[in-house]
Amino acid sequence: MELNERAEIDTSQVNDVGRGGGSGGLGIPIPGGGGRGGLISIVVAVLVALLGGGFGLNAMTNGDDTGQAGGTDLEQVCSRDNPQHLEDLRCRNALYVNSIQGYWQKAYPELGNAKYEPTDTDFFQAAVNTGCGQADSGVGPFYCPADRKVYIDLSFYDELASRFGAKGEFAQPYVLAHEYGHHIQNLLGTNEKAGQGDQSGPRSASVRLELQADCYAGAWAKNATESKDKTGQEPLFKSITASDISEAVQAAEAIGDDSIQERSGGQVNPDQFTHGTSAQRQRWFQQGYDRGDPKTCDTFGTDQL
Ligand SMILES: [Zn+2]
Protein backbone atom coordinates (compact mmCIF):
# COMPACT_ATOMS: atom_id res chain seq x y z
CA MET A 1 0.00 0.00 0.00
CA GLU A 2 1.26 3.38 -0.88
CA LEU A 3 -0.47 6.54 0.24
CA ASN A 4 -0.44 9.60 -1.98
CA GLU A 5 1.61 12.27 -0.22
CA ARG A 6 0.04 14.89 -2.48
CA ALA A 7 -3.49 14.11 -1.32
CA GLU A 8 -5.15 16.73 0.86
CA ILE A 9 -6.46 14.99 3.95
CA ASP A 10 -9.88 16.13 5.16
CA THR A 11 -9.33 16.27 8.90
CA SER A 12 -12.87 17.55 9.53
CA GLN A 13 -13.98 13.90 9.46
CA VAL A 14 -11.98 13.03 12.56
CA ASN A 15 -11.59 14.46 16.04
CA ASP A 16 -8.61 14.00 18.26
CA VAL A 17 -10.38 14.07 21.60
CA GLY A 18 -7.39 12.91 23.65
CA ARG A 19 -7.84 11.53 27.10
CA GLY A 20 -11.28 11.28 28.58
CA GLY A 21 -12.72 13.39 25.84
CA GLY A 22 -15.96 13.01 24.03
CA SER A 23 -19.35 14.40 23.58
CA GLY A 24 -19.69 15.44 27.21
CA GLY A 25 -23.18 14.21 27.97
CA LEU A 26 -23.56 10.88 29.66
CA GLY A 27 -25.92 9.66 27.01
CA ILE A 28 -27.41 6.27 27.66
CA PRO A 29 -25.96 4.76 30.80
CA ILE A 30 -24.87 1.19 30.36
CA PRO A 31 -27.21 -0.68 32.68
CA GLY A 32 -25.73 -3.06 35.17
CA GLY A 33 -28.51 -5.53 34.65
CA GLY A 34 -32.06 -6.17 35.55
CA GLY A 35 -35.21 -4.39 34.61
CA ARG A 36 -34.04 -2.99 31.33
CA GLY A 37 -33.36 -6.13 29.37
CA GLY A 38 -34.48 -4.56 26.13
CA LEU A 39 -32.07 -1.73 26.52
CA ILE A 40 -29.25 -4.02 27.53
CA SER A 41 -29.67 -6.16 24.50
CA ILE A 42 -29.83 -3.13 22.26
CA VAL A 43 -26.71 -1.65 23.78
CA VAL A 44 -24.90 -4.95 23.56
CA ALA A 45 -26.08 -5.48 20.03
CA VAL A 46 -25.06 -2.10 18.84
CA LEU A 47 -21.93 -1.43 20.82
CA VAL A 48 -20.30 -3.84 18.52
CA ALA A 49 -16.69 -3.71 19.43
CA LEU A 50 -14.39 -5.26 16.93
CA LEU A 51 -13.25 -7.83 19.44
CA GLY A 52 -15.98 -10.03 20.71
CA GLY A 53 -14.09 -10.96 23.83
CA GLY A 54 -12.59 -7.64 24.78
CA PHE A 55 -15.82 -6.06 25.70
CA GLY A 56 -15.96 -4.40 29.08
CA LEU A 57 -17.57 -1.07 29.57
CA ASN A 58 -16.06 0.63 32.54
CA ALA A 59 -16.96 3.86 34.16
CA MET A 60 -14.25 6.42 33.92
CA THR A 61 -12.33 7.09 37.06
CA ASN A 62 -12.17 10.55 38.49
CA GLY A 63 -9.02 12.43 37.88
CA ASP A 64 -8.57 11.06 34.42
CA ASP A 65 -9.06 14.53 33.08
CA THR A 66 -5.55 15.59 33.96
CA GLY A 67 -4.28 14.04 30.76
CA GLN A 68 -4.11 15.53 27.33
CA ALA A 69 -7.04 17.68 26.49
CA GLY A 70 -6.98 16.65 22.88
CA GLY A 71 -7.94 19.15 20.27
CA THR A 72 -4.61 18.97 18.48
CA ASP A 73 -4.74 20.96 15.32
CA LEU A 74 -4.82 18.03 12.98
CA GLU A 75 -5.44 20.27 10.02
CA GLN A 76 -1.94 21.64 10.41
CA VAL A 77 -0.25 18.35 11.30
CA CYS A 78 -1.90 16.53 8.40
CA SER A 79 -1.37 19.27 5.84
CA ARG A 80 0.58 18.14 2.82
CA ASP A 81 2.87 21.11 3.49
CA ASN A 82 4.17 19.13 6.44
CA PRO A 83 6.62 16.71 4.84
CA GLN A 84 6.16 14.24 7.70
CA HIS A 85 2.37 14.22 7.67
CA LEU A 86 2.00 10.65 6.52
CA GLU A 87 4.18 9.44 9.34
CA ASP A 88 1.53 10.58 11.82
CA LEU A 89 -0.80 7.74 12.71
CA ARG A 90 -3.74 10.13 13.08
CA CYS A 91 -3.22 11.60 9.64
CA ARG A 92 -3.01 8.20 8.03
CA ASN A 93 -6.16 7.12 9.80
CA ALA A 94 -7.89 10.34 8.75
CA LEU A 95 -6.94 9.49 5.17
CA TYR A 96 -8.46 6.02 5.58
CA VAL A 97 -11.66 7.54 6.92
CA ASN A 98 -11.75 9.93 3.93
CA SER A 99 -11.39 7.00 1.56
CA ILE A 100 -14.05 4.89 3.27
CA GLN A 101 -16.56 7.74 3.34
CA GLY A 102 -15.69 8.75 -0.21
CA TYR A 103 -16.51 5.21 -1.24
CA TRP A 104 -19.86 5.21 0.54
CA GLN A 105 -20.82 8.59 -0.92
CA LYS A 106 -20.84 6.76 -4.23
CA ALA A 107 -21.99 3.30 -3.20
CA TYR A 108 -24.63 4.05 -0.56
CA PRO A 109 -27.33 5.64 -2.74
CA GLU A 110 -27.73 2.41 -4.69
CA LEU A 111 -27.88 0.34 -1.54
CA GLY A 112 -30.07 2.57 0.60
CA ASN A 113 -31.99 4.65 -1.94
CA ALA A 114 -30.84 7.73 -0.11
CA LYS A 115 -27.88 9.99 0.24
CA TYR A 116 -25.01 8.80 2.38
CA GLU A 117 -24.81 10.68 5.67
CA PRO A 118 -21.16 11.11 6.66
CA THR A 119 -20.04 10.68 10.22
CA ASP A 120 -16.90 11.40 12.22
CA THR A 121 -14.38 9.17 13.89
CA ASP A 122 -13.15 10.19 17.32
CA PHE A 123 -9.59 9.25 18.28
CA PHE A 124 -9.54 8.90 22.05
CA GLN A 125 -7.07 7.75 24.66
CA ALA A 126 -7.94 5.38 27.48
CA ALA A 127 -11.57 6.42 27.94
CA VAL A 128 -14.29 8.37 26.24
CA ASN A 129 -17.84 9.64 26.76
CA THR A 130 -20.15 8.67 23.96
CA GLY A 131 -23.84 8.80 23.14
CA CYS A 132 -23.86 5.12 24.14
CA GLY A 133 -22.29 5.70 27.51
CA GLN A 134 -18.76 5.75 28.77
CA ALA A 135 -16.26 3.38 27.29
CA ASP A 136 -12.63 2.58 27.80
CA SER A 137 -10.05 1.29 25.38
CA GLY A 138 -10.63 -2.29 26.51
CA VAL A 139 -13.75 -2.50 24.36
CA GLY A 140 -11.74 -2.05 21.17
CA PRO A 141 -12.90 0.21 18.37
CA PHE A 142 -16.66 0.57 18.16
CA TYR A 143 -19.53 2.36 16.50
CA CYS A 144 -22.17 4.08 18.59
CA PRO A 145 -25.53 4.22 16.80
CA ALA A 146 -26.94 6.81 19.20
CA ASP A 147 -24.46 9.52 18.21
CA ARG A 148 -23.51 7.85 14.93
CA LYS A 149 -19.81 8.02 15.52
CA VAL A 150 -16.87 5.67 15.25
CA TYR A 151 -14.56 5.56 18.27
CA ILE A 152 -11.03 4.24 18.34
CA ASP A 153 -8.05 4.43 20.64
CA LEU A 154 -5.30 4.23 18.06
CA SER A 155 -3.12 2.22 20.43
CA PHE A 156 -5.52 -0.62 19.57
CA TYR A 157 -3.39 -1.26 16.49
CA ASP A 158 -0.39 -2.10 18.69
CA GLU A 159 -2.56 -4.64 20.47
CA LEU A 160 -3.79 -6.03 17.19
CA ALA A 161 -0.17 -6.54 16.16
CA SER A 162 1.23 -7.87 19.42
CA ARG A 163 -1.67 -9.86 20.84
CA PHE A 164 -3.37 -10.95 17.68
CA GLY A 165 -0.43 -11.06 15.27
CA ALA A 166 -2.12 -8.78 12.72
CA LYS A 167 0.90 -6.62 12.02
CA GLY A 168 0.27 -5.27 8.58
CA GLU A 169 -0.68 -1.62 8.15
CA PHE A 170 -3.68 -2.54 6.05
CA ALA A 171 -5.29 -4.00 9.16
CA GLN A 172 -5.96 -0.37 10.12
CA PRO A 173 -8.22 0.67 7.25
CA TYR A 174 -9.88 -2.74 7.54
CA VAL A 175 -10.78 -2.01 11.16
CA LEU A 176 -12.15 1.42 10.27
CA ALA A 177 -14.02 0.14 7.23
CA HIS A 178 -15.61 -2.54 9.43
CA GLU A 179 -16.82 0.13 11.89
CA TYR A 180 -18.15 2.28 9.05
CA GLY A 181 -19.94 -0.85 7.93
CA HIS A 182 -21.90 -0.58 11.18
CA HIS A 183 -22.70 3.03 10.32
CA ILE A 184 -24.10 1.85 6.98
CA GLN A 185 -26.19 -0.73 8.87
CA ASN A 186 -27.43 2.02 11.15
CA LEU A 187 -28.44 4.21 8.21
CA LEU A 188 -30.22 1.26 6.62
CA GLY A 189 -31.91 0.22 9.86
CA THR A 190 -30.30 -3.21 9.66
CA ASN A 191 -28.86 -3.09 13.15
CA GLU A 192 -32.16 -2.04 14.68
CA LYS A 193 -33.83 -5.06 13.16
CA ALA A 194 -30.95 -7.30 14.20
CA GLY A 195 -31.26 -5.98 17.76
CA GLN A 196 -34.46 -7.98 18.04
CA GLY A 197 -32.74 -11.23 17.08
CA ASP A 198 -30.35 -13.51 18.94
CA GLN A 199 -27.30 -11.76 20.27
CA SER A 200 -25.00 -14.75 20.34
CA GLY A 201 -24.66 -18.12 18.69
CA PRO A 202 -23.28 -19.25 15.35
CA ARG A 203 -26.30 -18.08 13.33
CA SER A 204 -27.26 -15.16 15.54
CA ALA A 205 -28.25 -11.75 14.31
CA SER A 206 -25.12 -10.40 15.94
CA VAL A 207 -22.85 -12.70 13.93
CA ARG A 208 -24.70 -11.82 10.72
CA LEU A 209 -24.30 -8.12 11.46
CA GLU A 210 -20.57 -8.49 12.08
CA LEU A 211 -19.92 -10.61 9.00
CA GLN A 212 -21.83 -8.11 6.91
CA ALA A 213 -19.62 -5.32 8.26
CA ASP A 214 -16.59 -7.37 7.20
CA CYS A 215 -18.09 -7.81 3.75
CA TYR A 216 -18.74 -4.06 3.47
CA ALA A 217 -15.09 -3.51 4.44
CA GLY A 218 -14.06 -5.81 1.59
CA ALA A 219 -16.26 -3.91 -0.86
CA TRP A 220 -14.55 -0.69 0.17
CA ALA A 221 -11.09 -2.27 -0.19
CA LYS A 222 -11.88 -3.31 -3.75
CA ASN A 223 -12.78 0.26 -4.67
CA ALA A 224 -10.37 2.13 -2.40
CA THR A 225 -7.83 3.11 -5.01
CA GLU A 226 -10.54 5.09 -6.81
CA SER A 227 -11.22 7.34 -3.83
CA LYS A 228 -10.12 10.94 -4.21
CA ASP A 229 -9.03 13.57 -1.72
CA LYS A 230 -11.14 16.58 -0.76
CA THR A 231 -10.02 18.57 -3.78
CA GLY A 232 -11.35 15.76 -5.95
CA GLN A 233 -8.07 15.81 -7.85
CA GLU A 234 -5.69 13.50 -6.06
CA PRO A 235 -6.21 9.82 -5.31
CA LEU A 236 -5.80 9.00 -1.63
CA PHE A 237 -3.98 5.74 -2.33
CA LYS A 238 -1.28 5.34 -4.92
CA SER A 239 -1.59 1.59 -4.76
CA ILE A 240 -3.10 -1.29 -2.83
CA THR A 241 -1.50 -4.65 -3.45
CA ALA A 242 -2.49 -8.27 -2.99
CA SER A 243 -0.34 -8.41 0.13
CA ASP A 244 -2.36 -5.53 1.64
CA ILE A 245 -5.53 -7.46 1.07
CA SER A 246 -4.01 -10.52 2.68
CA GLU A 247 -3.10 -8.34 5.69
CA ALA A 248 -6.75 -7.43 6.06
CA VAL A 249 -7.74 -11.06 5.66
CA GLN A 250 -5.19 -12.00 8.33
CA ALA A 251 -6.62 -9.39 10.68
CA ALA A 252 -10.12 -10.74 10.08
CA GLU A 253 -8.78 -14.21 10.77
CA ALA A 254 -7.06 -13.17 13.98
CA ILE A 255 -10.18 -11.76 15.56
CA GLY A 256 -12.62 -14.55 14.83
CA ASP A 257 -14.61 -15.68 17.86
CA ASP A 258 -13.09 -19.17 17.83
CA SER A 259 -9.52 -17.83 17.66
CA ILE A 260 -10.17 -15.40 20.48
CA GLN A 261 -11.73 -18.11 22.63
CA GLU A 262 -8.80 -20.42 21.96
CA ARG A 263 -6.25 -17.73 22.62
CA SER A 264 -7.85 -16.87 25.94
CA GLY A 265 -7.36 -20.48 26.97
CA GLY A 266 -10.97 -21.52 26.78
CA GLN A 267 -12.85 -24.08 24.78
CA VAL A 268 -14.41 -23.02 21.54
CA ASN A 269 -18.06 -22.43 22.38
CA PRO A 270 -20.21 -21.54 19.36
CA ASP A 271 -23.13 -20.52 21.59
CA GLN A 272 -21.07 -17.53 22.60
CA PHE A 273 -20.14 -16.44 19.11
CA THR A 274 -20.97 -12.80 18.46
CA HIS A 275 -18.74 -11.91 15.51
CA GLY A 276 -18.27 -15.14 13.56
CA THR A 277 -15.40 -17.57 13.26
CA SER A 278 -12.04 -16.75 11.75
CA ALA A 279 -12.92 -18.64 8.60
CA GLN A 280 -16.24 -16.81 8.27
CA ARG A 281 -14.74 -13.38 8.84
CA GLN A 282 -12.06 -14.06 6.23
CA ARG A 283 -14.61 -15.38 3.79
CA TRP A 284 -17.00 -12.45 4.07
CA PHE A 285 -14.25 -9.86 3.80
CA GLN A 286 -12.94 -11.74 0.78
CA GLN A 287 -16.38 -11.97 -0.77
CA GLY A 288 -16.90 -8.23 -0.40
CA TYR A 289 -13.52 -7.71 -2.00
CA ASP A 290 -14.03 -10.15 -4.85
CA ARG A 291 -17.46 -8.83 -5.78
CA GLY A 292 -16.78 -5.20 -4.90
CA ASP A 293 -20.49 -4.67 -4.36
CA PRO A 294 -22.17 -4.25 -0.97
CA LYS A 295 -25.42 -5.65 -2.34
CA THR A 296 -23.75 -9.06 -2.31
CA CYS A 297 -23.22 -8.79 1.45
CA ASP A 298 -26.56 -10.31 2.40
CA THR A 299 -25.56 -12.25 5.47
CA PHE A 300 -29.18 -12.21 6.65
CA GLY A 301 -30.54 -13.96 3.60
CA THR A 302 -28.33 -17.03 3.69
CA ASP A 303 -27.56 -19.95 5.92
CA GLN A 304 -24.15 -20.32 4.26
CA LEU A 305 -22.39 -18.07 6.73
ZN1 LIG B 1 -18.22 -4.98 14.46
Side-chain angles (χ1 to χ4, degrees):
M1 168 181 67
E2 215 186 328
L3 304 181
N4 181 6
E5 69 283 347
R6 293 171 45 82
E8 235 177 84
I9 296 172
D10 182 0
T11 52
S12 73
Q13 297 183 11
V14 299
N15 308 293
D16 185 10
V17 300
R19 193 173 285 272
S23 50
L26 283 180
I28 308 163
I30 303 299
R36 302 171 78 178
L39 181 58
I40 294 171
S41 61
I42 291 166
V43 171
V44 171
V46 293
L47 254 186
V48 268
L50 190 80
L51 298 176
F55 183 82
L57 284 168
N58 298 346
M60 277 198 317
T61 49
N62 287 331
D64 229 353
D65 55 353
T66 51
Q68 280 173 258
T72 316
D73 189 359
L74 282 185
E75 198 181 341
Q76 235 165 25
V77 180
C78 302
S79 156
R80 60 184 174 184
D81 298 336
N82 169 14
Q84 267 95 50
H85 72 294
L86 288 178
E87 281 154 45
D88 191 297
L89 184 63
R90 297 165 302 178
C91 302
R92 289 203 307 278
N93 274 263
L95 182 150
Y96 303 147
V97 168
N98 291 170
S99 171
I100 294 159
Q101 300 213 90
Y103 167 67
W104 284 113
Q105 294 278 10
K106 285 192 183 151
Y108 185 78
E110 229 184 293
L111 189 67
N113 282 320
K115 245 179 90 186
Y116 174 66
E117 294 170 43
T119 196
D120 289 0
T121 289
D122 278 9
F123 304 145
F124 70 96
Q125 288 172 36
V128 67
N129 290 325
T130 81
C132 298
Q134 298 171 313
D136 75 15
S137 300
V139 302
F142 64 97
Y143 174 74
C144 168
D147 61 20
R148 297 182 157 194
K149 279 206 282 192
V150 173
Y151 292 91
I152 184 168
D153 181 331
L154 293 172
S155 68
F156 170 75
Y157 297 133
D158 298 333
E159 203 185 334
L160 198 56
S162 62
R163 245 178 85 200
F164 298 94
K167 293 192 174 69
E169 168 93 7
F170 207 76
Q172 299 185 15
Y174 157 65
V175 165
L176 291 169
H178 173 98
E179 297 309 335
Y180 274 92
H182 290 312
H183 177 55
I184 298 302
Q185 292 168 330
N186 196 26
L187 295 179
L188 291 170
T190 319
N191 61 349
E192 209 182 340
K193 260 184 269 165
Q196 293 151 16
D198 292 345
Q199 298 314 311
S200 68
R203 290 176 192 279
S204 61
S206 171
V207 164
R208 292 174 193 275
L209 215 48
E210 295 300 329
L211 295 176
Q212 186 175 61
D214 284 337
C215 184
Y216 285 167
W220 161 78
K222 179 71 171 189
N223 296 283
T225 50
E226 284 165 30
S227 53
K228 296 282 196 323
D229 74 349
K230 69 176 177 185
T231 69
Q233 304 297 316
E234 292 286 338
L236 291 163
F237 290 92
K238 274 185 178 167
S239 65
I240 293 173
T241 65
S243 80
D244 296 318
I245 299 308
S246 67
E247 284 171 7
V249 171
Q250 270 167 34
E253 200 266 329
I255 53 181
D257 286 325
D258 49 344
S259 302
I260 290 176
Q261 287 176 354
E262 269 173 12
R263 205 175 285 107
S264 58
Q267 298 252 317
V268 173
N269 180 355
D271 290 343
Q272 288 173 8
F273 287 176
T274 54
H275 286 63
T277 63
S278 291
Q280 289 173 324
R281 300 198 69 169
Q282 278 180 307
R283 192 162 64 240
W284 281 98
F285 175 85
Q286 189 74 49
Q287 165 158 338
Y289 181 77
D290 290 342
R291 309 286 282 274
D293 178 358
K295 288 196 288 300
T296 66
C297 296
D298 187 11
T299 54
F300 289 87
T302 178
D303 278 332
Q304 303 299 121
L305 289 174

